[in-house]
């Protein structure tokens, strides 16, 4: 599979998700709107997400095999969004930073 080609195919969907998260930014760990949105999107992809504290977990692949942990931080910072016009964001004093993603192999 050509991963670059697949990424280009998913570009509009990815941008739509980013814009939704930016326009509904929540400060702190309690992010009920983002949690519900992520869970709904994972269900749309055929997964079975579960709440995990303020986050979400979902298993991908077959049970009993190797495991990969994917973590993405989505909390906002209490500061003005400078790029509100370009990101279609209507926020008062919230800024969603670039998402930080880390992947760790779990044994």
């Amino acid at each position: 599979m050509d991963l670059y080609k697949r990424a280009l195919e998913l570009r509009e969907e990815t941008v739509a998700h980013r814009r939704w998260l930016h326009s509904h930014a929540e400060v702190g760990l309690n992010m009920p709107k983002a949690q519900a949105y992520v869970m709904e999107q994972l269900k749309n992809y055929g997964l079975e997400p579960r709440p995990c504290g303020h986050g979400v977990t979902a298993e991908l692949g077959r049970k009993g095999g190797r495991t990969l942990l994917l973590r993405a931080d989505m909390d906002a910072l209490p500061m003005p969004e400078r790029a509100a016009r370009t990101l279609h964001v209507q926020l008062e004093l919230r800024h969603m930073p670039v998402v930080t993603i880390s992947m760790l192999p779990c044994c």
Side-chain angles (χ1 to χ4, degrees):
M1 173 189 285
D2 183 344
L3 296 179
Y4 181 73
K5 182 179 177 183
R6 183 65 178 137
L8 290 177
E9 293 170 356
L10 295 172
R11 184 176 191 275
E12 287 184 36
E13 181 180 349
T14 302
V15 169
H17 293 315
R18 179 179 55 83
R19 286 185 176 159
W20 191 95
L21 290 166
H22 274 270
S23 65
H24 297 85
E26 298 169 281
V27 177
L29 293 176
N30 186 20
M31 300 177 293
K33 291 184 284 186
Q35 184 184 43
Y37 181 81
V38 169
M39 288 185 66
E40 184 64 29
Q41 297 310 312
L42 292 173
K43 287 178 187 175
N44 290 341
Y45 297 139
L47 299 174
E48 297 177 8
R50 295 180 305 273
C52 178
H54 298 298
V56 176
T57 63
E59 293 181 17
L60 185 64
R62 61 178 184 235
K63 297 193 186 266
R66 298 189 78 170
T67 303
L68 178 72
L69 170 67
L70 175 65
R71 178 176 181 250
D73 294 327
M74 298 182 295
D75 60 317
L77 301 173
M79 59 186 283
E81 173 63 74
R82 293 183 190 168
R85 290 187 181 141
T86 60
L87 294 175
H88 310 284
V89 178
Q90 298 175 357
L91 303 176
E92 295 171 3
L93 293 173
R94 296 180 183 165
H95 169 70
M96 175 74 80
V98 174
V99 174
T100 303
I101 298 178
S102 60
M103 296 189 311
L104 304 169
C106 300
C107 300

